[in-house]
Amino acid sequence: MPKQYKLKNYKFTLIILVAALNILGIMLVGSASPGDQKKQLIGMLSGLVIMAIVSCIDYNFILRFSWLIYLFSVAMLVLVIVAGEDSKGAQRWFKIGGFQFQPSELVKILMILFFAYYFMKHEEKINSIRVLCSSFLLVGILLALVLAQPNLSTTIIMAIIFCAMLFVAGLSYKIVVGVLAICVPAFLVLMTLIIQDRVPFIRSYQIGRIMAWLYPEDYPDLAYQQQNSIMAIGSGMLWGKGLGNTDPTSVKNGKFILEPQNDFIFAVAGEELGFLGTAAIIILLLFITIECIFIARKAKDATGRLICCGMASLIGFQSIVNISVASGLLPNTGVTLPFVSYGLTSLWSLYIGIGLVLNVGLQPKKY
């Protein structure tokens, strides 16, 4: 519910950074897909309103409904699997008129809220077997439902966010080292099994993307988008070819990348804005992530700190994955670039998350 806040505690720096990045994204979306630019602009303006409203609601009041938030998340993910829109072999969206809603994007934010509450409630026993197992079970349900859509990339991002929040909540370094000692060799074994097509929960098209990433010359039909993205980024050189250019060899004009306004928007940025443009995007994303962490450090309680760190991990890690895919450092996935890629569900969800961070900033700890 609304409280009396001091204007001096409102983090306008974070708002300016987010707005600047979003405006840059709108220009890139307009160049890559002119028909979507107006929608993205409406998404930004409505997102700013949503952010302002959420920032004025006490996050502790919202967290009173944590279990309802969790059950609502599960219900949405189940419903989209049962009655969602089937597109290209995946059921990840609800179609309402001309608008598509992707529940997993909102669930990322709801998951941050729920586990901020859950880890705070069990703060003193965070390293106990009971708390760790129960938290793994709770997040496992969400991850399994997202994976079933199928949406492996979002599943991985959500798992990373959960791990980051668990670490911030006070997970013992001994446990972290032990898990890494197990996970590193397990990952190598998993990659070997994936290459041999012996992992049941990895689908054939996902194996194809991994193989195309490892051996692009042997899988030209699967690797062409990522390879074209790499060439597009390099072709922009320092200054780029300019927004809205008519060069027939560009990725958007030549249709060398399908739907460049989404997952491969960074390739458009590299080609049209050059090194300086991509550097600006990376710097803005970095500053937004750091600003969330700075607000976390001044949060009045563990819950606020976890909300801010959860958002920082979401924006930071999702940006790393998207940019790494566009530049060929990771296999092709379906992850958007925060505040830059086209997508209203993603944009609104991110603005809700930023609104929560701003509310944490409005309630700093008293020294």
Tab-separated table of all heavy atoms in Angstrom, residues 3 25 47 58 97 105 142 146 184 227 234 270 280 288 306 320 350:
chain	number	residue	atom	x	y	z
A	3	LYS	N	2.903	4.606	0.793
A	3	LYS	CA	3.478	5.175	2.010
A	3	LYS	C	4.013	6.558	1.677
A	3	LYS	O	4.098	6.958	0.526
A	3	LYS	CB	4.615	4.276	2.519
A	3	LYS	CG	4.158	2.919	3.039
A	3	LYS	CD	5.343	2.094	3.477
A	3	LYS	CE	6.086	2.709	4.642
A	3	LYS	NZ	7.162	1.849	5.164
A	25	GLY	N	16.790	1.243	-27.780
A	25	GLY	CA	16.159	0.023	-28.270
A	25	GLY	C	15.025	0.314	-29.233
A	25	GLY	O	14.865	-0.383	-30.245
A	47	GLY	N	5.039	1.284	-19.739
A	47	GLY	CA	5.945	0.670	-18.774
A	47	GLY	C	6.428	1.655	-17.727
A	47	GLY	O	6.540	1.319	-16.539
A	58	ASP	N	4.652	-0.304	-1.134
A	58	ASP	CA	5.602	-0.924	-0.217
A	58	ASP	C	5.807	-2.394	-0.581
A	58	ASP	O	4.856	-3.173	-0.617
A	58	ASP	CB	5.083	-0.803	1.217
A	58	ASP	CG	6.076	-1.315	2.239
A	58	ASP	OD1	7.187	-1.742	1.850
A	58	ASP	OD2	5.737	-1.321	3.441
A	97	GLY	N	-6.477	-11.323	-28.743
A	97	GLY	CA	-6.635	-10.393	-29.854
A	97	GLY	C	-5.346	-10.335	-30.662
A	97	GLY	O	-4.833	-11.352	-31.112
A	105	GLU	N	8.029	-14.605	-18.822
A	105	GLU	CA	8.707	-13.324	-18.607
A	105	GLU	C	8.264	-12.697	-17.287
A	105	GLU	O	9.084	-12.187	-16.517
A	105	GLU	CB	8.419	-12.373	-19.764
A	105	GLU	CG	9.041	-12.784	-21.082
A	105	GLU	CD	10.561	-12.752	-21.045
A	105	GLU	OE1	11.120	-11.906	-20.322
A	105	GLU	OE2	11.189	-13.578	-21.734
A	142	LEU	N	8.859	-24.627	-10.899
A	142	LEU	CA	8.790	-23.543	-11.882
A	142	LEU	C	9.677	-23.844	-13.097
A	142	LEU	O	9.249	-23.668	-14.247
A	142	LEU	CB	9.228	-22.220	-11.241
A	142	LEU	CG	8.368	-21.680	-10.096
A	142	LEU	CD1	9.000	-20.417	-9.519
A	142	LEU	CD2	6.948	-21.399	-10.556
A	146	VAL	N	8.555	-24.387	-17.118
A	146	VAL	CA	9.092	-23.557	-18.202
A	146	VAL	C	9.800	-24.440	-19.227
A	146	VAL	O	9.668	-24.244	-20.442
A	146	VAL	CB	10.053	-22.486	-17.649
A	146	VAL	CG1	10.723	-21.727	-18.798
A	146	VAL	CG2	9.306	-21.515	-16.754
A	184	VAL	N	31.189	-28.475	-12.456
A	184	VAL	CA	32.119	-28.282	-13.577
A	184	VAL	C	32.347	-29.588	-14.337
A	184	VAL	O	32.153	-29.642	-15.559
A	184	VAL	CB	33.441	-27.657	-13.094
A	184	VAL	CG1	34.472	-27.655	-14.223
A	184	VAL	CG2	33.208	-26.241	-12.585
A	227	GLN	N	26.099	-16.971	-37.621
A	227	GLN	CA	27.258	-16.558	-38.404
A	227	GLN	C	27.007	-15.202	-39.072
A	227	GLN	O	27.896	-14.344	-39.128
A	227	GLN	CB	27.576	-17.615	-39.470
A	227	GLN	CG	28.068	-18.937	-38.899
A	227	GLN	CD	29.313	-18.781	-38.049
A	227	GLN	OE1	30.346	-18.294	-38.520
A	227	GLN	NE2	29.239	-19.188	-36.799
A	234	GLY	N	30.689	-7.217	-36.972
A	234	GLY	CA	32.006	-6.801	-37.452
A	234	GLY	C	31.941	-5.791	-38.569
A	234	GLY	O	32.807	-4.902	-38.676
A	270	GLY	N	25.220	-3.567	-33.802
A	270	GLY	CA	26.613	-3.614	-34.235
A	270	GLY	C	26.795	-3.139	-35.657
A	270	GLY	O	27.748	-2.414	-35.965
A	280	ALA	N	27.915	1.485	-26.075
A	280	ALA	CA	26.946	2.277	-25.310
A	280	ALA	C	25.880	1.385	-24.684
A	280	ALA	O	25.490	1.569	-23.522
A	280	ALA	CB	26.296	3.318	-26.213
A	288	ILE	N	23.038	-0.056	-15.176
A	288	ILE	CA	21.744	-0.416	-14.583
A	288	ILE	C	21.927	-1.536	-13.570
A	288	ILE	O	21.371	-1.498	-12.463
A	288	ILE	CB	20.748	-0.839	-15.687
A	288	ILE	CG1	20.352	0.371	-16.538
A	288	ILE	CG2	19.498	-1.481	-15.076
A	288	ILE	CD1	19.572	0.016	-17.785
A	306	LEU	N	17.557	-8.699	-1.475
A	306	LEU	CA	17.379	-9.831	-2.386
A	306	LEU	C	16.597	-9.440	-3.642
A	306	LEU	O	16.893	-9.919	-4.738
A	306	LEU	CB	16.666	-10.972	-1.657
A	306	LEU	CG	17.526	-11.737	-0.647
A	306	LEU	CD1	16.660	-12.612	0.249
A	306	LEU	CD2	18.553	-12.589	-1.379
A	320	ILE	N	24.257	-10.841	-20.796
A	320	ILE	CA	25.462	-11.593	-21.165
A	320	ILE	C	25.112	-12.713	-22.132
A	320	ILE	O	25.791	-12.925	-23.144
A	320	ILE	CB	26.149	-12.152	-19.904
A	320	ILE	CG1	26.775	-11.015	-19.097
A	320	ILE	CG2	27.219	-13.178	-20.278
A	320	ILE	CD1	27.293	-11.439	-17.733
A	350	LEU	N	10.017	-6.155	-16.987
A	350	LEU	CA	11.239	-5.495	-16.530
A	350	LEU	C	10.927	-4.188	-15.812
A	350	LEU	O	11.551	-3.859	-14.791
A	350	LEU	CB	12.169	-5.242	-17.717
A	350	LEU	CG	12.871	-6.467	-18.304
A	350	LEU	CD1	13.484	-6.140	-19.652
A	350	LEU	CD2	13.932	-6.986	-17.343
